[in-house]
């Protein structure tokens, strides 16, 4: 049967990721430097997007040409740097939300060191508090923070009309390392993080059902990376 996902062993997945990265657009020297620095500084550096994801962000942003970008979950500023680099000619505004003081300090270091403060604005504090204070609309929204908050964040974004008419919401890690699909689906997941991802998987399964049921939007869950959901307003004037 032809499925949408190839069945990889972890070794094959690593090989395929390396192959895709090598044959895809390179990210910049600054992005590579930040990625390496983050890996040396933070035990949980796997929270950062991969270079292939960084290249994907740049590809999408240069295609969609967003004038305003909202990012929920900054970490060390790797994805914010991708948005910044991809929107130089548009001079787009990038707002990124971060809660953890350690990651706020790391992000501020990134934005100072690489000169990103001209267009990147970091808002400190819980995203659930920051989102209701945002004004205007965003053309691209990247949801990449605590997984049990996704439904609340997307609900607030939609209720407050923060997504522009042709805007796109990207939600990362929807598979929760496979736990959203089934708790049996990833035997390699270390026991140390299994309860965390199992709880995330339950929250994200509820989120997926919410997206599918919300009559205001179209949504697609793509089996790329750790699961990527795309959300847009339903095209009421167009076809179904
Ligand atoms: N977007 C980053 C990238 O692509 O490299 C990775 C973000 S990381 C997966 C998630 C970040 O969200 C962490 O830095 C975490 O501290 C932050 N976060 C978690 N809960 C949050 C909340 N309630 N409000 C704002 N940020 C939060």
């Amino acid at each position: 049967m032809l499925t949408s996902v190839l069945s990889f062993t972890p070794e094959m997945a690593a090989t395929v990721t390396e192959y895709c990265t090598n044959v895809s657009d390179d990210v910049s020297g600054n992005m590579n430097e930040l990625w390496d620095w983050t890996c040396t500084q933070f035990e949980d550096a796997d929270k950062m997007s991969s270079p292939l994801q960084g290249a994907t962000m740049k590809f999408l942003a240069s295609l969609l040409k967003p004038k305003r970008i909202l990012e929920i979950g900054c970490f060390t500023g790797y994805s914010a740097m991708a948005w910044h680099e991809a929107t130089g000619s548009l001079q787009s505004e990038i707002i990124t939300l971060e809660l953890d003081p350690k990651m706020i300090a790391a992000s501020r270091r990134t934005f100072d060191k690489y000169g990103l403060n001209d267009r990147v604005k970091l808002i400190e504090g819980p995203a659930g508090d920051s989102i209701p204070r945002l004004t205007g609309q965003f053309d691209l929204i990247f949801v990449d923070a605590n997984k049990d908050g996704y439904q609340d964040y997307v609900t607030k974004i939609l209720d407050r009309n923060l997504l522009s008419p042709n805007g796109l919401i990207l939600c990362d890690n929807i598979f929760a390392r496979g736990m959203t699909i089934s708790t049996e689906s990833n035997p390699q997941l270390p026991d140390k993080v299994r309860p965390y991802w199992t709880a995330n998987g339950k929250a994200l399964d509820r989120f997926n059902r919410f997206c599918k049921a919300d009559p205001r939007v179209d949504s697609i869950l793509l089996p790329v990376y750790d699961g990527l959901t795309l959300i847009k307003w339903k095209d009421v004037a167009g076809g179904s």
Side-chain angles (χ1 to χ4, degrees):
M1 190 180 88
L2 185 63
T3 65
S4 298
V5 192
L6 299 176
S7 56
F8 293 141
T9 61
E11 293 74 26
M12 285 163 71
T15 305
V16 171
T17 301
E18 190 182 347
Y19 180 83
C20 293
T21 304
N22 288 340
V23 300
S24 299
D25 282 352
D26 289 324
V27 294
S28 66
N30 285 352
M31 284 181 68
N32 281 328
E33 189 177 272
L34 174 60
W35 203 84
D36 289 342
W37 179 81
T38 303
C39 290
T40 62
Q41 298 295 314
F42 296 96
E43 256 182 30
D44 57 352
D46 67 328
K47 288 183 175 170
M48 176 174 52
S49 291
S50 69
L52 185 59
Q53 285 173 295
T56 309
M57 288 165 197
K58 293 186 71 170
F59 184 98
L60 285 175
S62 62
L63 177 74
L64 298 171
K65 306 202 181 318
K67 285 292 293 168
R68 291 186 88 211
I69 298 174
L70 170 65
E71 170 176 278
I72 305 174
C74 187
F75 200 52
T76 59
Y78 183 77
S79 44
M81 184 185 271
W83 305 129
H84 186 275
E85 287 186 0
T87 58
S89 58
L90 285 170
Q91 288 295 293
S92 309
E93 179 189 15
I94 299 141
I95 295 182
T96 181
L97 313 182
E98 179 55 56
L99 165 77
D100 182 342
K102 199 167 45 121
M103 303 326 301
I104 289 168
S107 300
R108 294 218 179 277
R109 172 199 171 273
T110 297
F111 302 150
D112 291 345
K113 180 173 166 68
Y114 297 102
L116 310 186
N117 290 309
D118 58 338
R119 292 187 286 113
V120 179
K121 181 180 173 199
L122 173 66
I123 300 181
E124 302 180 12
D129 294 347
S130 303
I131 294 169
R133 293 201 288 266
L134 297 171
T135 55
Q137 291 190 313
F138 296 88
D139 308 302
L140 186 57
I141 300 179
F142 184 44
V143 182
D144 192 23
N146 55 315
K147 312 308 160 196
D148 57 359
Y150 279 27
Q151 187 168 334
D152 177 47
Y153 303 154
V154 171
T155 300
K156 286 186 164 106
I157 287 163
L158 299 178
D159 289 354
R160 290 166 187 276
N161 206 19
L162 291 172
L163 180 67
S164 66
N166 291 312
L168 177 68
I169 306 177
L170 299 172
C171 304
D172 201 15
N173 301 113
I174 299 300
F175 286 170
R177 307 293 193 259
M179 297 302 103
T180 308
I181 317 297
S182 155
T183 50
E184 312 297 311
S185 69
N186 185 354
Q188 280 85 24
L189 189 68
D191 286 345
K192 201 172 83 177
V193 295
R194 186 166 282 276
Y196 168 75
W197 283 111
T198 300
N200 283 338
K202 285 191 182 130
L204 288 168
D205 182 46
R206 286 193 295 275
F207 172 67
N208 292 337
R209 291 165 200 279
F210 154 80
C211 291
K212 175 127 186 164
D214 193 312
R216 297 171 293 181
V217 294
D218 292 320
S219 70
I220 300 280
L221 170 52
L222 293 177
V224 292
Y225 310 124
D226 188 24
L228 182 71
T229 288
L230 279 53
I231 302 171
K232 68 170 188 63
W233 293 116
K234 218 175 250 308
D235 184 5
V236 276
S240 57

